[in-house]
PDB file of all heavy atoms in Angstrom:
ATOM      1  N   ALA A  40       7.623  78.294 -40.889  1.00  0.00           N
ATOM      2  CA  ALA A  40       7.312  78.623 -42.275  1.00  0.00           C
ATOM      3  C   ALA A  40       7.718  77.485 -43.192  1.00  0.00           C
ATOM      4  O   ALA A  40       7.011  77.135 -44.143  1.00  0.00           O
ATOM      5  CB  ALA A  40       8.021  79.912 -42.673  1.00  0.00           C
ATOM      6  N   THR A  41       8.857  76.902 -42.884  1.00  0.00           N
ATOM      7  CA  THR A  41       9.293  75.762 -43.678  1.00  0.00           C
ATOM      8  C   THR A  41       8.357  74.594 -43.487  1.00  0.00           C
ATOM      9  O   THR A  41       7.996  73.904 -44.430  1.00  0.00           O
ATOM     10  CB  THR A  41      10.712  75.361 -43.264  1.00  0.00           C
ATOM     11  OG1 THR A  41      11.559  76.495 -43.401  1.00  0.00           O
ATOM     12  CG2 THR A  41      11.233  74.253 -44.158  1.00  0.00           C
ATOM     13  N   CYS A  42       7.964  74.364 -42.241  1.00  0.00           N
ATOM     14  CA  CYS A  42       7.029  73.278 -41.971  1.00  0.00           C
ATOM     15  C   CYS A  42       5.733  73.480 -42.739  1.00  0.00           C
ATOM     16  O   CYS A  42       5.086  72.509 -43.137  1.00  0.00           O
ATOM     17  CB  CYS A  42       6.737  73.182 -40.480  1.00  0.00           C
ATOM     18  SG  CYS A  42       8.119  72.574 -39.509  1.00  0.00           S
ATOM     19  N   ALA A  43       5.363  74.737 -42.916  1.00  0.00           N
ATOM     20  CA  ALA A  43       4.131  75.004 -43.636  1.00  0.00           C
ATOM     21  C   ALA A  43       4.180  74.448 -45.040  1.00  0.00           C
ATOM     22  O   ALA A  43       3.156  74.130 -45.641  1.00  0.00           O
ATOM     23  CB  ALA A  43       3.862  76.509 -43.686  1.00  0.00           C
ATOM     24  N   LEU A  44       5.389  74.336 -45.551  1.00  0.00           N
ATOM     25  CA  LEU A  44       5.528  73.765 -46.874  1.00  0.00           C
ATOM     26  C   LEU A  44       5.040  72.327 -46.910  1.00  0.00           C
ATOM     27  O   LEU A  44       4.594  71.834 -47.927  1.00  0.00           O
ATOM     28  CB  LEU A  44       6.993  73.816 -47.319  1.00  0.00           C
ATOM     29  CG  LEU A  44       7.557  75.210 -47.569  1.00  0.00           C
ATOM     30  CD1 LEU A  44       9.047  75.105 -47.812  1.00  0.00           C
ATOM     31  CD2 LEU A  44       6.867  75.858 -48.748  1.00  0.00           C
ATOM     32  N   LEU A  45       5.143  71.666 -45.761  1.00  0.00           N
ATOM     33  CA  LEU A  45       4.709  70.277 -45.710  1.00  0.00           C
ATOM     34  C   LEU A  45       3.245  70.176 -46.091  1.00  0.00           C
ATOM     35  O   LEU A  45       2.826  69.255 -46.774  1.00  0.00           O
ATOM     36  CB  LEU A  45       4.940  69.710 -44.310  1.00  0.00           C
ATOM     37  CG  LEU A  45       6.393  69.601 -43.886  1.00  0.00           C
ATOM     38  CD1 LEU A  45       6.459  69.229 -42.415  1.00  0.00           C
ATOM     39  CD2 LEU A  45       7.127  68.582 -44.723  1.00  0.00           C
ATOM     40  N   GLY A  46       2.486  71.117 -45.601  1.00  0.00           N
ATOM     41  CA  GLY A  46       1.070  71.079 -45.899  1.00  0.00           C
ATOM     42  C   GLY A  46       0.753  71.612 -47.276  1.00  0.00           C
ATOM     43  O   GLY A  46      -0.320  71.377 -47.802  1.00  0.00           O
ATOM     44  N   ALA A  47       1.710  72.354 -47.841  1.00  0.00           N
ATOM     45  CA  ALA A  47       1.455  72.980 -49.127  1.00  0.00           C
ATOM     46  C   ALA A  47       1.904  72.102 -50.297  1.00  0.00           C
ATOM     47  O   ALA A  47       1.372  72.185 -51.379  1.00  0.00           O
ATOM     48  CB  ALA A  47       2.166  74.325 -49.206  1.00  0.00           C
ATOM     49  N   LEU A  48       2.899  71.279 -50.051  1.00  0.00           N
ATOM     50  CA  LEU A  48       3.412  70.466 -51.130  1.00  0.00           C
ATOM     51  C   LEU A  48       2.371  69.469 -51.617  1.00  0.00           C
ATOM     52  O   LEU A  48       1.634  68.900 -50.833  1.00  0.00           O
ATOM     53  CB  LEU A  48       4.652  69.692 -50.644  1.00  0.00           C
ATOM     54  CG  LEU A  48       5.896  70.536 -50.473  1.00  0.00           C
ATOM     55  CD1 LEU A  48       6.979  69.675 -49.840  1.00  0.00           C
ATOM     56  CD2 LEU A  48       6.382  71.100 -51.783  1.00  0.00           C
ATOM     57  N   PRO A  49       2.352  69.198 -52.930  1.00  0.00           N
ATOM     58  CA  PRO A  49       3.150  69.834 -53.964  1.00  0.00           C
ATOM     59  C   PRO A  49       2.423  70.990 -54.623  1.00  0.00           C
ATOM     60  O   PRO A  49       2.699  71.292 -55.763  1.00  0.00           O
ATOM     61  CB  PRO A  49       3.376  68.694 -54.948  1.00  0.00           C
ATOM     62  CG  PRO A  49       2.081  67.933 -54.869  1.00  0.00           C
ATOM     63  CD  PRO A  49       1.592  68.066 -53.461  1.00  0.00           C
ATOM     64  N   ALA A  50       1.463  71.559 -53.927  1.00  0.00           N
ATOM     65  CA  ALA A  50       0.607  72.561 -54.547  1.00  0.00           C
ATOM     66  C   ALA A  50       0.993  73.964 -54.150  1.00  0.00           C
ATOM     67  O   ALA A  50       0.157  74.840 -54.047  1.00  0.00           O
ATOM     68  CB  ALA A  50      -0.847  72.311 -54.166  1.00  0.00           C
ATOM     69  N   ALA A  51       2.282  74.179 -53.938  1.00  0.00           N
ATOM     70  CA  ALA A  51       2.722  75.487 -53.484  1.00  0.00           C
ATOM     71  C   ALA A  51       2.377  76.584 -54.470  1.00  0.00           C
ATOM     72  O   ALA A  51       2.270  77.735 -54.105  1.00  0.00           O
ATOM     73  CB  ALA A  51       4.222  75.462 -53.231  1.00  0.00           C
TER      74      ALA A  51
END
Side-chain angles (χ1 to χ4, degrees):
T41 304
C42 289
L44 293 172
L45 295 171
L48 287 173

